[in-house]
Amino acid sequence: MDMTIRKFLNFLNQFMKIPNVRLEVMQTIEKSMDDLLKKYLKPIEKNWQPSDLLPDSKSPGFFEEVREIQGLAKEMDYDLWAVLIGDTITEEALPTYETWLMNVEGVDQNGRNGWSKWIRGWTSEENRHGDLLNKYLYLSGRVNMREMEISTQHLINDGFDIGTGHDPYRSFVYTSFQELATNISHRRVASFSKNSGNQLLAKICGVIAADEARHANAYIDFINRIFELDPSQVMLAFEDMMRKKVVMPAHFLRETGDAIGELFSHFSDAAQRIKVYTTQDYIDILEILLKEWNIENIVDLNDSAEKARDYLMALPNRLRRISERVKIPEKQYEFKWIGI
Ligand SMILES: [Fe+2]
Ligand SMILES: [Fe+2]
């Protein structure tokens, strides 16, 4: 919604004493923000930093360690490597995600600032992901860094369109889903790397995956609290996000010469081929969320929210039937990101 219209409606609501329930819900949860920050974010100085996992360029053994990284990088599966680069670009587009979250209704950067503290804390943890992966890929000698950087700049420049608007309910449903999806994808790259003898990359993706899991728990908790306060509206928001299908944050991905979003399907096909992130994972995440939010047993729903619940409960089976028909192209795509 346009900013001026939103401001006008807020004014009208105040004037007519129509309660803005979403804002009230956000303000209620915000009262517990100190506990939430402690529970779901780590103290900065005890947290891991990218340099803990990478060779120290001040050390005499640096070049030897880099040679080892490069030797192992050459042996990594092509699709897996492409997915790792795509994941890195997705992490590097963090400015897009932070600016979107700061604009969600109920997040106030000037007056009350509990929610903006959460978003800054989350961003500061997430920022380490792209930083670590980017440095690793630079050292690997198997990436055309300029091509990767162009894709990153394009992705930040193109933004995204994820269908949440400024709505906190839709936004936190989206982040719950997304943090689970990134957890799966980093975790899989970690285990494939371990199996191919690349212990360092396994460790790198493993620590990132652990952050994503912790963040997923936070967003799932936010939605659980919203279900206690405004069950019908959050049920409808969940239904709406699933009807629209949850798009990935990098759905506008492109490389040099491409139109917006042209590369995304190749990236997602590669992830499906090597089973780093599949349609089955999408369905599994939906089932986790249905369980975490106890959708089956939520009470006090209005009629349309009851219908939304029915739709959501039936959705995993519907998606399973559709996914059986999806064909993934077997042929690898040649990404400009990957040098020889
Ligand atoms: Fe991340
Ligand atoms: Fe994340």
Side-chain angles (χ1 to χ4, degrees):
M1 203 187 303
D2 180 70
M3 270 308 274
T4 0
I5 302 177
R6 264 174 80 206
K7 271 189 190 151
F8 174 69
L9 285 178
N10 282 344
F11 169 77
L12 205 66
N13 285 349
Q14 262 175 0
F15 181 68
M16 297 173 69
K17 298 266 182 297
I18 299 170
N20 182 343
V21 180
R22 275 166 159 79
L23 187 60
E24 283 170 16
V25 165
M26 285 292 276
Q27 288 174 348
T28 306
I29 300 173
E30 195 170 30
K31 290 192 185 114
S32 317
M33 195 47 78
D34 286 345
D35 294 335
L36 291 168
L37 294 172
K38 255 189 234 122
K39 190 167 176 196
Y40 294 114
L41 296 176
K42 287 206 166 167
I44 293 175
E45 291 174 26
K46 288 190 184 133
N47 216 340
W48 63 263
Q49 294 299 335
S51 58
D52 300 336
L53 293 124
L54 293 166
D56 180 357
S57 60
K58 298 196 300 324
S59 124
F62 175 71
F63 291 105
E64 198 41 52
E65 284 181 68
V66 172
R67 257 189 292 278
E68 198 182 318
I69 287 177
Q70 299 205 344
L72 289 166
K74 260 189 231 139
E75 288 162 26
M76 301 293 294
D77 175 271
Y78 184 91
D79 274 336
L80 186 70
W81 197 249
V83 169
L84 177 64
I85 300 171
D87 284 349
T88 305
I89 295 167
T90 309
E91 295 282 356
E92 292 270 61
L94 187 61
T96 302
Y97 321 138
E98 188 187 20
T99 43
W100 151 61
L101 284 169
M102 279 297 188
N103 212 15
V104 163
E105 182 167 23
V107 177
D108 181 356
Q109 296 184 62
N110 301 312
R112 303 169 291 104
N113 61 6
W115 279 110
S116 56
K117 260 189 206 154
W118 162 261
I119 292 161
R120 287 200 307 270
W122 171 83
T123 304
S124 67
E125 288 201 347
E126 285 285 338
N127 187 57
R128 290 138 62 244
H129 302 170
D131 188 5
L132 172 56
L133 290 170
N134 186 310
K135 283 181 179 130
Y136 171 82
L137 290 175
Y138 171 68
L139 294 176
S140 77
R142 200 189 168 188
V143 179
N144 181 330
M145 289 303 290
R146 185 174 164 77
E147 286 292 342
M148 181 177 122
E149 287 156 356
I150 287 173
S151 284
T152 304
Q153 189 173 353
H154 265 310
L155 188 59
I156 296 173
N157 181 59
D158 293 333
F160 63 4
D161 182 10
I162 52 174
T164 59
H166 302 282
D167 178 16
Y169 300 179
R170 284 175 178 76
S171 297
F172 293 157
V173 165
Y174 182 84
T175 47
S176 300
F177 196 102
Q178 253 333 301
E179 296 290 41
L180 288 173
T182 47
N183 167 264
I184 290 174
S185 132
H186 290 305
R187 192 153 37 87
R188 296 258 169 80
V189 178
S191 72
F192 292 147
S193 305
K194 197 172 173 198
N195 292 343
S196 61
N198 194 335
Q199 302 297 343
L200 176 64
L201 186 55
K203 210 171 158 196
I204 287 175
C205 294
V207 292
I208 295 175
D211 276 7
E212 307 292 10
R214 185 160 40 80
H215 295 164
N217 286 335
Y219 288 113
I220 288 169
D221 186 343
F222 300 162
I223 290 287
N224 261 326
R225 286 163 195 251
I226 296 173
F227 263 113
E228 278 168 27
L229 299 163
D230 193 9
S232 292
Q233 288 307 311
V234 67
M235 186 71 80
L236 290 167
F238 186 18
E239 180 209 15
D240 182 51
M241 290 307 292
M242 296 315 301
R243 275 193 192 274
K244 287 193 273 208
K245 292 197 191 82
V246 179
V247 296
M248 296 298 122
H251 66 134
F252 283 168
L253 193 65
R254 53 161 128 180
E255 56 187 356
T256 43
D258 272 1
I260 192 167
E262 221 174 289
L263 192 63
F264 182 77
S265 62
H266 297 302
F267 167 55
S268 125
D269 288 346
Q272 292 255 15
R273 264 195 304 271
I274 46 158
K275 301 203 165 29
V276 161
Y277 185 78
T278 65
T279 356
Q280 185 53 50
D281 292 317
Y282 185 96
I283 302 166
D284 289 349
I285 292 172
L286 169 60
E287 287 191 311
I288 291 171
L289 294 177
L290 290 170
K291 233 171 105 200
E292 288 284 347
W293 295 330
N294 197 17
I295 296 300
E296 205 176 348
N297 302 309
I298 298 280
V299 287
D300 294 332
L301 295 176
N302 63 26
D303 286 353
S304 47
E306 283 289 358
K307 284 195 189 103
R309 182 210 329 250
D310 292 345
Y311 169 82
L312 288 164
M313 293 305 295
L315 189 56
N317 279 336
R318 248 186 70 200
L319 291 177
R320 253 187 288 275
R321 284 195 298 274
I322 298 166
S323 78
E324 282 159 16
R325 297 196 295 266
V326 175
K327 289 261 175 298
I328 312 300
E330 279 166 32
K331 203 177 163 295
Q332 277 176 350
Y333 173 81
E334 277 185 40
F335 291 86
K336 290 180 183 163
W337 305 327
I338 304 188
I340 6 111

